[in-house]
Amino acid sequence: MEEEFFLIDPGSRAVSSLGSRVVARARAAVGDLVSGEFDECQVEVKTPPRREGAALYDELVAVRGAAAAAARAEGLGVCASGTPVMGRQGPAVVGDHPRYRAGLDQFGTLLDGFTICAAHIHVHMPDRETAVLVGNHLRPWLPLLVAMSANSPFLDGRDMGYASWRTVIRGRFPALGPPPYVESLDHYERLTAALQESEAMLDAPSPSGTYDPIPSSPPWRSGSWMSRRRRRTPSA
């Protein structure tokens, strides 16, 4: 399990770019189970693989607690939201990671405002062939998962009118939604290779769609981040 959080100022609720300092503090307690993310106003927590829900819960409590304690030591809080609810203090600061720098080089200003958080569920599969075929069967359930998990109706203090504005932001990119239906692992790999060659995708072996087979173990990752239009309620 992986979860991403914003670091926020307790007073203004704006996000704050102190991710590297918070990560350094948290790692004293839980090691590399807390790490940085694309933007310095974010941190990510992760758990080791677990078979039982109770064990996974205990791991999540521990890593969330470590991240929250490290943030408090820097005068900040953590916020579970898909988008920055009240904006940010100061300019955006991209995290120091080769993949993030490569993304900036390839996509440029398309990544402006691409400060979003998510939760990722990693599920063990016996092999990548099975993983891509399981993805085909997940597709019909995505609307339900969206309705259950959408949590980003606000951006920079504004009600955007969607339950998941995060998905609208991701919609700028052709390869960040659900992968197409595929007939086999070979079919999937040919499609992702074509996306990489056209520069619509940064790295075919490490996709970032709604669900993906991933090269490391366990070889399947899922998250549901589609947008859902919210019905507005007239003021009384």
Side-chain angles (χ1 to χ4, degrees):
M1 185 79 181
E2 296 174 353
E3 297 179 325
E4 299 160 2
F5 297 94
F6 288 114
L7 299 170
I8 61 169
D9 178 90
S12 68
R13 307 297 189 193
V15 296
S16 180
S17 299
L18 294 179
S20 294
R21 287 164 56 172
V22 171
V23 168
R25 286 183 180 274
R27 283 187 168 176
V30 292
D32 62 2
L33 296 181
V34 176
S35 61
E37 251 298 324
F38 178 75
D39 194 299
E40 273 287 301
C41 70
Q42 300 167 282
V43 295
E44 179 181 81
V45 304
K46 61 204 78 172
T47 69
R50 291 291 180 262
R51 290 181 178 271
E52 303 295 333
L56 177 62
Y57 175 82
D58 290 342
E59 295 283 358
L60 282 171
V61 169
V63 292
R64 289 171 178 173
R72 284 195 300 271
E74 295 291 340
L76 302 173
V78 294
C79 176
S81 171
T83 49
V85 177
M86 299 303 294
R88 71 166 60 242
Q89 295 176 332
V93 180
V94 174
D96 185 21
H97 190 282
R99 184 172 175 83
Y100 303 153
R101 293 193 294 270
L104 286 173
D105 289 341
Q106 181 159 317
F107 296 113
T109 55
L110 200 60
L111 283 168
D112 287 355
F114 195 74
T115 304
I116 53 179
C117 287
H120 303 289
I121 302 169
H122 293 247
V123 181
H124 180 78
M125 294 285 161
D127 52 64
R128 283 169 54 79
E129 183 83 35
T130 302
V132 297
L133 297 179
V134 166
N136 291 338
H137 295 279
L138 178 63
R139 293 175 62 87
W141 296 96
L142 292 179
L144 175 62
L145 293 174
V146 171
M148 294 172 62
S149 64
N151 76 332
S152 52
F154 305 109
L155 178 70
D156 299 344
R158 178 184 174 190
D159 183 343
M160 305 305 290
Y162 288 77
S164 179
W165 188 249
R166 177 189 185 278
T167 304
V168 179
I169 294 174
R170 282 175 60 90
R172 305 172 187 173
F173 299 87
L176 294 191
Y181 182 91
V182 294
E183 298 175 353
S184 64
L185 176 60
D186 177 69
H187 185 199
Y188 174 85
E189 290 179 339
R190 285 187 280 110
L191 287 173
T192 54
L195 285 167
Q196 179 179 328
E197 184 178 1
S198 69
E199 298 189 347
M201 176 183 287
L202 181 63
D203 183 10
S206 301
S208 299
T210 308
Y211 55 84
D212 307 289
I214 56 177
S216 59
S217 179
W220 196 75
R221 178 179 67 181
S222 173
S224 182
W225 326 124
M226 305 298 287
S227 64
R228 181 165 61 92
R229 190 74 168 90
R230 290 192 300 127
R231 179 178 298 174
R232 294 186 179 277
T233 302
S235 300

